Amino acid sequence: MSARSAARVPAPRRRPAAAGRAPQDTPAGVGTYLLLAATILCSAFPLYWMFVIATSTDEALAKIPPAVVPGDRFAVNLREVFSLQDVYFAASLVNSVIVSSVVTASVLFFCSLAGFAFAKLRFAGSRWLMLFVVLTLTVPNQLAVVALYIVMGKLGWNGTLLAVIAPGLVTAFGVFYMRQFIVNAVPDELVEAARMDGATTMRIYATVVLPAVRPALAVLGLLSFVATWNDFQWPLITLSGTDYPTSMVAVSDLASGTYVIYRRVLAGAFVATVPLLIMLFIGGRQIVRGIMEGAVK
C-alpha cells in the first residue's frame, strides 16, 4: 500500500468516554439529589411528627398552626403510658420481642431447609409441592382466621403466646424466596462434590448451603421480624381479654375509649417503633446486599 492510499484510510472512531461507564459510576445530577431529598423527607416526616406529638401537651396539640418542634414532655407521657393498669405496655413489648425472635429464628431454619430441599434435592412430587406452596401466597390471611381460631381452641392455646407463635413458624414466602436464592447461589457441582466426600444431607446444608445464603437469611430474618412485630389482627383476636398483649395490641388499647389522648397513643407508638428502626439500621446494608446479590445471580 502506498503512502497516499494509507493516508486516505480513515482513523478509527473513538468511543465516547461515557459509553463504557457502568451505571453506578454515572454521576448524579441536581434533580436526582432533589428527588432523593424529597423522598427522605416524606418518609421521615410521619415518624418525626409522631415524636413531636409524643413530647407535647394537650394544649400544644390544639394550637393552630400546630407545633413542629418537639416539646419537653416525652418522659412524662411515657410514664403515663407505662403506668396504665389496663394496657400492660411494658409486658407487651417483652411479649413482642419473644414472639418476633422465636418466629424469626424458626422461619430462618425451616424455610432455608425447605428451600434447600426444593432447590437441590430430587424427590417425587417436588414440583407439585412447590406449586402448592406458591399458590398459598394467593390466599388472604383473613380467610384462615376462623379456622385458625378453632384449631388453636382445640389445642387450648387461645389466649397464650403459643397461638401467636405457632402460625408463623414457617411461611410460604420464605420457602419460595430461599428456594430461588439457593438455586442460583449454590452450584450443583458443589453439592455433588460434598456428597462424594461422604457428607450427609444435613452436613451439606450446614456447611455448604448456609454460608452461601447468609445475605438471603439476613433479608428474610429482617422481613420476618418486622412483619411479626407489626402483626395486629391475629394477636388482637387470640389475645383479646388477656394480660398478654403484643405491642400493636397495646397501642390500640391506648387509642380505645371515648376520649383519646393522642400524646399517650403516639408516645407508645414511637416506643414500639424504635426496635424496628434499630433492626433496620443494623441490617439495612444486608437487605440491600441480599437483594442485589439475588438479582445479579
Side-chain angles (χ1 to χ4, degrees):
M1 182 181 295
S2 61
R4 180 177 299 179
S5 60
R8 294 177 182 177
V9 177
R13 295 182 180 179
R14 294 184 178 179
R15 297 177 60 184
R21 183 181 296 167
Q24 61 269 22
D25 296 333
T26 304
V30 177
T32 302
Y33 285 108
L34 291 177
L35 181 61
L36 291 176
T39 303
I40 293 174
L41 289 176
C42 293
S43 302
F45 181 76
L47 184 63
Y48 174 76
W49 181 250
M50 183 193 307
F51 181 72
V52 170
I53 302 301
T55 59
S56 303
T57 61
D58 294 331
E59 293 77 10
L61 299 181
K63 289 182 179 180
I64 299 177
V68 294
V69 178
D72 57 352
R73 301 273 299 179
F74 186 63
V76 176
N77 295 335
L78 277 186
R79 193 178 304 114
E80 294 181 8
V81 170
F82 282 98
S83 62
L84 292 176
Q85 297 298 324
D86 55 345
V87 176
Y88 308 101
F89 195 78
S92 71
L93 295 177
V94 176
N95 292 336
S96 289
V97 171
I98 295 174
V99 172
S100 300
S101 301
V102 173
V103 168
T104 301
S106 174
V107 165
L108 291 180
F109 175 72
F110 288 112
C111 290
S112 61
L113 192 61
F116 166 59
F118 281 116
K120 298 301 176 182
L121 301 183
R122 301 293 178 261
F123 55 94
S126 60
R127 293 185 177 180
W128 292 105
L129 287 175
M130 192 66 227
L131 179 61
F132 176 77
V133 171
V134 174
L135 289 178
T136 59
L137 294 173
T138 64
V139 181
N141 295 330
Q142 291 79 2
L143 295 180
V145 167
V146 177
L148 187 60
Y149 188 83
I150 294 174
V151 171
M152 293 300 152
K154 295 291 184 179
L155 295 174
W157 290 354
N158 278 328
T160 66
L161 293 182
L162 287 175
V164 184
I165 293 174
L169 292 178
V170 63
T171 62
F173 169 77
V175 173
F176 175 74
Y177 175 72
M178 294 304 302
R179 187 260 180 192
Q180 295 301 110
F181 196 94
I182 292 173
V183 165
N184 298 317
V186 181
D188 294 337
E189 295 79 8
L190 192 61
V191 176
E192 294 300 328
R195 288 195 182 278
M196 293 180 64
D197 290 339
T200 61
T201 301
M202 289 303 297
R203 184 173 180 83
I204 294 173
Y205 165 76
T207 60
V208 176
V209 176
L210 287 184
V213 298
R214 284 179 182 174
L217 290 176
V219 174
L220 182 61
L222 286 171
L223 294 178
S224 301
F225 188 92
V226 171
T228 306
W229 185 279
N230 288 332
D231 191 15
F232 171 71
Q233 182 189 42
W234 176 241
L236 177 64
I237 294 173
T238 190
L239 298 179
S240 59
T242 67
D243 298 343
Y244 304 97
T246 56
S247 58
M248 296 298 107
V249 177
V251 171
S252 69
D253 291 338
L254 290 174
S256 62
T258 57
Y259 179 72
V260 180
I261 303 178
Y262 288 100
R263 57 183 176 83
R264 291 181 181 175
V265 176
L266 294 183
F270 182 81
V271 173
T273 308
V274 169
L276 300 181
L277 296 178
I278 295 175
M279 290 292 295
L280 292 175
F281 179 78
I282 295 175
R285 183 174 298 179
Q286 288 293 331
I287 289 180
V288 175
R289 179 185 173 188
I291 294 175
M292 291 302 297
E293 286 192 6
V296 172
K297 291 182 179 179

